[in-house]
Every structure is written in C-alpha cells, then in structure tokens.
C-alpha cells in the first residue's frame, strides 16, 4: 500500500518530495525500467556537434553527439549540416544515448563515433 501511495505521488509531483512524504523502506536502482523520452529539440554545439535533450524520469538531460560521429556515420559525403545529419541518424544516436544513460543515469552523455552502431 505504501508503494502505491508513493507511486501515485510521483505521478503528480517531484520524486524527491514523495520520498520525504512517503519514505521508502529500501531503494534500488530502477534504471532498467526508467522512462527515457527523446524530444525533437536539436541545436548546434560549439564544437560542431549537436546538442539534444532527453527526459529521464521527468528530468531533462542534455546530451551531445560529436561532429566526428555525425560526419562518419550520417553525412555520407553529402556535406549535410550537423543538425540535418543528426535527424538523419537519430534512431542510432538515440539508441546509443539510451544505452549510455542506463549506465550513467541522469548524467550528460557525449556520443562519439565509436558509440554508434549502424542498424
């Protein structure tokens, strides 16, 4: 019953607040089933790569894919702009980001060429 109350609370407000109101008996990492949502937001990074936003458990996390990864895997010699290359390869980029976020919950990740697996 306590878990149900906590879950109902977390669905409406911040998890930290719910932990205070409904203190847990124990905690375990839930990253295996954590909700990871990708937004359509993509902006150029200072180094030529692309920043994109991911929402993990309701909290925004800024991620980046390097210019090298975009050029190596998604431009195909067409000279596409980095943001266009990001949108072209976002399925693979998102897969790499999700894998990294599951290892480093809530931390900013930088995806490099070696992190991309072509599907």
């Amino acid at each position: 019953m306590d878990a149900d109350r906590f879950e109902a609370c977390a669905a409406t407000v911040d998890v930290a607040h719910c932990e205070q109101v409904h203190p847990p008996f124990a905690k375990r990492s839930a990253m295996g089933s954590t909700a990871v949502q990708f937004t359509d937001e993509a902006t150029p990074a200072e180094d030529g790569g692309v920043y994109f936003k991911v929402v993990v458990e309701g909290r925004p996390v800024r991620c980046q894919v390097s210019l090298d990864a975009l050029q190596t895997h998604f431009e195909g010699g067409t000279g596409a702009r980095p943001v266009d290359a990001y949108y072209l390869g976002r399925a693979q980029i998102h897969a790499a980001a999700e894998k990294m976020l599951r290892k480093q919950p809530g931390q900013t990740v930088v995806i490099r060429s070696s992190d991309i697996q072509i599907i």
Side-chain angles (χ1 to χ4, degrees):
M1 189 182 304
D2 290 330
D4 291 338
R5 284 189 211 122
F6 176 84
E7 192 172 295
C9 178
T12 59
V13 295
D14 187 272
V15 171
H17 167 77
C18 296
E19 285 181 342
Q20 290 176 350
V21 175
H22 308 283
F25 292 105
K27 289 175 112 178
R28 65 177 171 79
S29 174
M31 196 59 195
S33 62
T34 295
V36 177
Q37 299 171 328
F38 293 89
T39 69
D40 285 333
E41 210 173 293
T43 57
E46 297 83 19
D47 67 355
V50 172
Y51 291 123
F52 59 99
K53 189 168 94 175
V54 180
V55 179
V56 179
E57 288 296 315
R59 296 186 179 148
V61 177
R62 186 166 98 163
C63 298
Q64 181 181 1
V65 59
S66 71
L67 178 61
D68 178 58
L70 293 169
Q71 289 175 333
T72 301
H73 295 289
F74 307 114
E75 285 194 18
T78 63
R81 295 179 334 166
V83 172
D84 294 335
Y86 164 80
Y87 284 116
L88 179 66
R90 71 178 158 185
Q92 293 92 336
I93 293 166
H94 289 181
E98 185 167 355
K99 184 177 179 180
M100 294 171 84
L101 286 165
R102 291 192 185 284
K103 289 180 184 176
Q104 309 170 52
Q107 294 182 21
T108 298
V109 297
V110 177
I111 300 166
R112 308 212 183 283
S113 186
S114 60
D115 299 315
I116 302 289
Q117 294 180 352
I118 301 300
I119 299 172

